[in-house]
Amino acid sequence: SSGINAEYGQHYFIQINLSMWQVRDEIENIEQHELLNDDNIVIRSTGNITMFGLCNKYNTTFPQRLIAKVAPEEFSETINKVNRELRRNVNFTWKAFIAGCLCCCCSCGLTMIPPLLLSNKSKKQVKKVLDWENARVYNKIGLNWILRKALCEQSPMLEYVIVLERIHQEQILWID
């Protein structure tokens, strides 16, 4: 079944479910307690288009819990890089999805394959940006950016959130 343009506030969520049991299994597999850990900072989406759980923009406000850990400039640079990738990819995926919906009957559903592949490509590119930023800055100061699935705050659907978690580093130097 397909749900298109279900409106929740200013968000338009688009979700294609192959079957209900797959969605239930996905929801059960999400470990919410990891996201809600006191050490983790969850950055939710603020964009107006969500394709297959991936939104076109994330919140750019500097979290107060990061004061004295990360410079606000570094944080905004990282979020802006992610938002640039998403703006470039999710908008194109949206257009491919609309074109696929228009031609879906004629192609027996095969025109829905390109939006799925583009969505997977977008996720990989966002993960690549986060990995590069982790290697460049954040792993050195004991932090790690991760793209994870989580339940939406306003609906029972899934979305990708960016989690900034603390890495527990081992003591390298020991006093003899």
Side-chain angles (χ1 to χ4, degrees):
S1 69
S2 172
I4 301 174
N5 289 342
E7 187 172 349
Y8 294 98
Q10 294 180 347
H11 288 40
Y12 293 95
F13 293 96
I14 296 170
Q15 183 175 14
I16 294 181
N17 301 326
L18 299 176
S19 64
M20 267 323 265
W21 61 270
Q22 286 178 337
V23 173
R24 271 192 222 113
D25 287 345
E26 234 177 299
I27 291 172
E28 290 171 3
N29 288 337
I30 294 176
E31 299 176 1
Q32 287 294 104
H33 65 277
E34 282 185 15
L35 291 176
L36 300 177
N37 188 353
D38 289 337
D39 291 341
N40 294 345
I41 297 170
V42 178
I43 300 166
R44 296 208 173 262
S45 60
T46 58
N48 57 357
I49 298 174
T50 300
M51 290 291 300
F52 308 110
L54 194 62
C55 191
N56 66 338
K57 185 179 178 185
Y58 282 96
N59 193 357
T60 58
T61 58
F62 186 73
Q64 294 298 317
R65 292 178 35 201
L66 283 180
I67 293 176
K69 294 180 184 175
V70 177
E73 297 82 20
E74 288 292 337
F75 176 83
S76 65
E77 181 182 340
T78 301
I79 291 293
N80 287 334
K81 285 180 183 179
V82 169
N83 285 340
R84 247 181 274 128
E85 283 295 322
L86 290 172
R87 190 172 36 248
R88 194 176 314 142
N89 294 314
V90 173
N91 289 336
F92 185 70
T93 304
W94 168 252
K95 292 173 187 173
F97 180 76
I98 295 299
C101 287
L102 294 175
C103 303
C104 189
C105 296
C106 300
S107 67
C108 299
L110 293 177
T111 55
M112 298 310 291
I113 293 173
L116 288 170
L117 295 175
L118 288 169
S119 177
N120 288 338
K121 179 184 173 193
S122 299
K123 290 175 208 164
K124 287 179 184 175
Q125 287 180 335
V126 168
K127 287 180 182 180
K128 192 180 205 181
V129 167
L130 293 176
D131 289 341
W132 188 80
E133 288 292 310
N134 283 334
R136 186 179 70 88
V137 176
Y138 294 96
N139 285 347
K140 296 172 186 173
I141 58 175
L143 297 171
N144 192 36
W145 291 88
I146 297 175
L147 185 68
R148 283 201 180 143
K149 284 185 180 180
L151 292 172
C152 293
E153 291 177 337
Q154 304 162 347
S155 71
M157 295 179 6
L158 296 174
E159 71 174 343
Y160 281 92
V161 296
I162 297 176
V163 179
L164 185 59
E165 64 182 10
R166 221 171 113 205
I167 300 173
H168 298 290
Q169 296 177 338
E170 297 290 327
Q171 283 286 12
I172 296 174
L173 302 174
W174 290 94
I175 299 173
D176 291 333

